[in-house]
Amino acid sequence: RTHFIKLTFSSASGPMKLQIGDVLFEPLSENIGEILNIFDHPDGKIVNIRWRVQDHLHHDTELFHKKVVRSIKNGDYEYTPKAGS
């Protein structure tokens, strides 16, 4: 079983720096997601995440960067930076 580090962030620390290869864990559904790409969009940055669920096919989602950061800060996602970051 993979272990995740639960990090908390204060708004005073500035914007969170998500990077390709970072891992997210959603405890409610037990989905494990890896950030595949981050790109600019006219409405804001988009984060492409590949979610893996045990015994199921993976699925990809595109979420706004602000939503991902807010979900991490609210505890909806657990965040683990890419190894070596």
Side-chain angles (χ1 to χ4, degrees):
R1 181 171 166 123
T2 305
H3 297 280
F4 292 90
I5 303 166
K6 186 161 186 172
L7 301 174
T8 57
F9 299 91
S10 68
S11 57
S13 65
M16 180 184 297
K17 177 85 170 141
L18 297 177
Q19 297 181 17
I20 295 172
D22 290 351
V23 177
L24 303 170
F25 176 69
E26 186 179 29
L28 187 62
S29 64
E30 296 188 350
N31 284 346
I32 298 172
E34 179 182 355
I35 297 177
L36 298 178
N37 195 9
I38 301 171
F39 57 93
D40 289 321
H41 183 274
D43 294 329
K45 284 188 177 185
I46 302 288
V47 180
N48 186 328
I49 303 170
R50 173 159 291 161
W51 294 101
R52 300 180 192 277
V53 183
Q54 189 174 358
D55 300 328
H56 295 285
L57 293 175
H58 68 269
H59 64 280
D60 295 350
T61 59
E62 290 182 347
L63 302 170
F64 282 106
H65 185 276
K66 287 170 63 171
K67 181 194 181 320
V68 175
V69 170
R70 184 173 42 241
S71 295
I72 293 168
K73 288 181 179 181
N74 290 340
D76 299 329
Y77 296 156
E78 294 177 17
Y79 171 77
T80 303
K82 177 177 153 180
S85 299

